[in-house]
Amino acid sequence: MVYRVPKRILLTGGAGYIGSHTYVALRQAGHDVVILDNFSNARRSVVARLEQITGAPVPVVEGDIRDNALLDRVFTDHRIDAVVHFAALKAVGESMAKPLDYFDVNIGGLTTLLRAMDRAGCRRIVFSSSATVYGVPDETPTPETAPFRAMNPYGQTKILGEEMLAWLAQSNPDWAIGVLRYFNPAGAHRSGLIGEDPADIPNNLMPFVAKVALGELDRIAVFGDDYDTPDGTGVRDYIHVEDLARGHVLSLGRLFETGQGHCVNLGTGRGYSVLEVIAAYKRACNRDLPHHITDRRPGDVPIYVASADKAAEVLGFRTEKGLDEMCASSWNWVSNIGETA
Ligand code: NAD
Ligand code: UFG
């Protein structure tokens, strides 16, 4: 059941990829939403696009989650009921090179935010976690009970964040905390106005394939075809970003409804290989997508697939969109963006 009473929600990192889609979903569910973002990994043009989609002004505070005074002002001015916390650094490779940046933003930023929430008496938060907390999981599909295994500083910050939140909830029952472990978000909003827009050469598969489809990159490197998977290439549980956004609406509804926290995977429960993704994208864009097999990427996990049962049970969350819709919406977005960014 979706909680129907409108609330005032603060979206940290709300101008980013998942945050912008969640902004739309929350507005459509009737909530008032304020974005706090420092635009370190988002374009300012996202705001006008969100206004175009929702047909209303988008309240944005430009600033950093590590800024105490700013946070106090935001909570006072907007009388926030709950926070959805997306703002973080998220590149695995960069986290190996600059671990302190990751601890500073992802852990320091989270602590500063939680303190400000506590001061304001706002104790409802949804936290963006990741399948990466499972490291190389023993079980596939992977249930929420699988143990934490840090593979890199980025993954370590998600584990630490979850652990901090669990202790906080234990310290004071007023806290209601939703932890959402995303599998592999993909695709874009149906309008073609917002989507993933990496500034550099993409690390992730779907945006890389998109750039090959656009002719901006020559060919896709498939990182290994000797995994113990049906076609030998890595398997992931890709989830449409609009489905993922809806998961946040349900998570918030559950927090308000019960006053209790939860921790769930958000995935489809079904995996696709790298070669299957390339084939699906080819169908979507109707272009040739040259690819070649290279060595495995160091640190890669062979298979990540979510057990999706708990999210269905606790949140009533079921995905509605499959791989073909992820590829079609991605292609719709990237073929638009060049003209309008
Ligand atoms: P994103 O980089 O598109 O969005 C993050 C947003 O936070 C950006 O708009 C950025 O400008 C902002 N931001 C960063 N540091 C900030 C700071 N100090 N103060 C204020 N704003 C700041 O990333 P995304 O893909 O939308 O990811 C959102 C969340 O989901 C992150 O916490 C990420 O770790 C998590 N996550 C993402 C994925 C994925 O594959 N995209 C998978 C699992 C989990
Ligand atoms: N891959 C390629 N070529 C590429 C890029 C990726 O073959 O150019 C392969 C990878 O080897 C993997 C699959 O495509 O088998 C997916 O790779 P991504 O980089 O798109 O995604 P990952 O699962 O490796 O990582 C993503 C996020 C992490 C997050 C993880 C689990 O980047 O932050 O999902 O949610 F932790």
Side-chain angles (χ1 to χ4, degrees):
M1 190 190 96
V2 181
Y3 196 79
R4 301 279 171 201
V5 180
K7 298 286 181 184
R8 290 168 178 270
I9 313 293
L10 175 67
L11 289 195
T12 72
Y17 173 43
I18 304 169
S20 56
H21 290 80
T22 303
Y23 179 88
V24 176
L26 286 168
R27 290 288 297 137
Q28 281 169 350
H31 298 296
D32 287 331
V33 188
V34 179
I35 289 174
L36 169 65
D37 202 300
N38 68 358
F39 293 89
S40 59
N41 197 35
R43 289 179 203 260
R44 284 179 181 74
S45 57
V46 167
V47 177
R49 285 148 177 270
L50 288 174
E51 289 179 344
Q52 209 177 324
I53 295 170
T54 59
V58 173
V60 179
V61 177
E62 182 164 347
D64 200 289
I65 52 162
R66 293 163 294 178
D67 183 340
N68 259 305
L70 175 73
L71 288 175
D72 281 344
R73 271 204 311 280
V74 170
F75 283 102
T76 307
D77 291 353
H78 297 278
R79 291 181 288 114
I80 300 295
D81 296 307
V83 176
V84 184
H85 180 45
F86 295 104
L89 303 181
K90 62 161 185 176
V92 169
E94 185 188 56
S95 82
M96 298 289 283
K98 301 179 181 172
L100 290 177
D101 287 359
Y102 278 68
F103 290 117
D104 190 19
V105 175
N106 296 8
I107 300 299
L110 175 63
T111 313
T112 307
L113 173 67
L114 292 170
R115 278 195 179 283
M117 289 177 67
D118 206 34
R119 281 195 296 278
C122 169
R123 300 194 180 87
R124 303 270 181 280
I125 183 169
V126 175
F127 177 66
S128 297
S129 190
S130 165
T132 195
V133 300
Y134 299 125
V136 182
D138 300 325
E139 255 181 283
T140 300
T142 304
E144 289 81 353
T145 48
F148 284 149
R149 284 183 190 141
M151 304 269 289
N152 47 64
Y154 168 69
Q156 183 70 71
T157 65
K158 292 297 176 189
I159 294 172
L160 286 169
E162 284 201 27
E163 287 177 339
M164 268 170 56
L165 290 165
W167 286 113
L168 188 61
Q170 198 168 313
S171 75
N172 179 348
D174 286 353
W175 283 96
I177 296 167
V179 171
L180 305 182
R181 295 180 181 155
Y182 314 151
F183 277 63
N184 287 58
H189 192 258
R190 65 193 76 186
S191 62
L193 289 168
I194 53 171
E196 195 171 13
D197 186 13
D200 302 320
I201 294 180
N203 293 311
N204 296 118
L205 180 63
M206 183 88 65
F208 196 101
V209 171
K211 290 222 180 271
V212 174
L214 286 169
E216 290 175 20
L217 294 170
D218 289 343
R219 58 184 183 159
I220 305 152
V222 176
F223 298 145
D225 67 349
D226 55 353
Y227 287 109
D228 186 14
T229 60
D231 66 17
T233 67
V235 168
R236 294 292 184 272
D237 184 338
Y238 297 93
I239 174 170
H240 196 294
V241 65
E242 283 199 63
D243 277 330
L244 193 62
R246 194 165 41 80
H248 294 74
V249 179
L250 293 171
S251 174
L252 278 169
R254 176 85 186 167
L255 294 182
F256 285 120
E257 205 179 297
T258 65
Q260 304 289 313
H262 50 262
C263 169
V264 299
N265 290 334
L266 290 184
T268 65
R270 139 131 231 214
Y272 289 95
S273 73
V274 176
L275 295 179
E276 286 176 308
V277 171
I278 295 172
Y281 213 98
K282 223 180 217 173
R283 287 194 293 277
C285 69
N286 204 17
R287 296 186 177 190
D288 191 30
L289 296 176
H291 64 272
H292 65 128
I293 309 293
T294 65
D295 288 345
R296 291 178 177 197
R297 183 168 64 177
D300 257 357
V301 176
I303 305 184
Y304 263 134
V305 175
S307 163
D309 297 345
K310 191 174 172 199
E313 217 171 277
V314 175
L315 302 182
F317 176 76
R318 280 175 198 81
T319 54
E320 290 170 0
K321 293 168 185 287
L323 183 62
D324 284 329
E325 280 165 291
M326 295 178 220
C327 294
S329 61
S330 161
W331 178 238
N332 181 38
W333 152 244
V334 298
S335 37
N336 258 332
I337 188 183
E339 294 149 33
T340 49

